[in-house]
Amino acid sequence: MNLRKLSAHAFATAGALALLLGTAQAQFALDSRFTDSDGDLLADIPTEASELVDPDTLVFAYTPVEDPAVYAGVWEGFLEHLSEVTGKEVQFFPVQSNAAQLEAMRAGRLHISGFNTGANPIAVACAGFRPFAMMAAKDGSFGYEMEIIVPGDSEATEVEDLRGGQIAFTQETSNSGFKAPSAILASEFDMAAGEDFEPVFSGSHDTSILGVANNDYPAAAIANSVKTRMVERGAVEADATKVVYTSQTFPTTGYGTVYNLTPELQEKIREAFMSFPWEGSKLAEEFGKSGEEQFIDISFKDDWSVIRQIDEANGVSYSCQ
């Protein structure tokens, strides 16, 4: 998979969408309370001991989903492994929204997290998030596609058929749930939110998929990896939805730590991700449904460049107020 190529038209500024997304900034920048001396676009780990934290209990969160309790069980074995490697107690923190997840890390209540593709840049810029890992297939390939889906019995067969109707998005921070489809709808199909379609927000990919399957939404933009896992575990029937648009491949959820954990603890946490035994685990059972079977190293600067370009095209502002 080539994750770093995206046709130029997908980066066209999304006109009316700028009103929804805020004022554009010339380039990605960290909040003023962080430094980046090595130019990797991540907040530096503090050098003053007084600025470092070494909590007795580590708090971990996975990106918001419809039913966090399901994923608490999925991550249980991994968190036990994380506890063994770090020597710390580990607590699963179920988050209901990207905003709550970001605020928890900014406030020092969240130490380790998986932020979804679109939320990674703002988490890095505003919360001091330092992503270092991503799930991948055995051959090292990774990524997912944004799909625009409609009910299985819908008469719509292409995006143009959605003009004048309603399209469900997840949250403003989501890449496949809002940012990418917004840019694509504007640039490829000349469809502006509020003029050519009515945008609504469901809160999560799970909710959007179920909403389309149950005819609550006539269309929705979603990550196909989430849909694949839902179909595999029987949460939705495969023929309950159909696809009218598929994007190029994007990177998936990025996993990492808050910047001010001690360097030794951050290294142990990274070690736990890379040494986790996937075979027979609940993590493998769930994420193997979408072809993910290991953690691999990532570079926010390189692997998220396409996402930052989409943000720039959409006029996203990384305001950390």
Side-chain angles (χ1 to χ4, degrees), residues 4 48 60 69 77 92 147 176-177 190 197 200 221 227 261-262 267-268 293 309 315:
R4 299 179 178 85
E48 295 292 331
F60 171 88
F92 183 84
E147 291 180 350
S176 57
D190 194 27
F197 64 90
V200 296
K227 186 183 69 174
L261 296 181
T262 65
E267 182 54 36
K268 285 183 179 179
E293 302 175 85
Q309 286 176 298

Side-chain angles (χ1 to χ4, degrees), residues 192-243:
E195 296 179 11
D196 301 298
F197 64 90
E198 177 194 357
V200 296
F201 291 88
S202 70
S204 72
H205 291 276
D206 309 53
T207 305
S208 286
I209 293 164
L210 289 171
V212 170
N214 294 321
N215 279 282
D216 296 325
Y217 302 130
I222 56 95
N224 60 4
S225 56
V226 177
K227 186 183 69 174
T228 298
R229 295 196 298 271
M230 291 179 71
V231 169
E232 287 292 326
R233 68 169 180 265
V236 66
E237 295 295 327
D239 60 359
T241 68
K242 63 182 182 181
V243 180

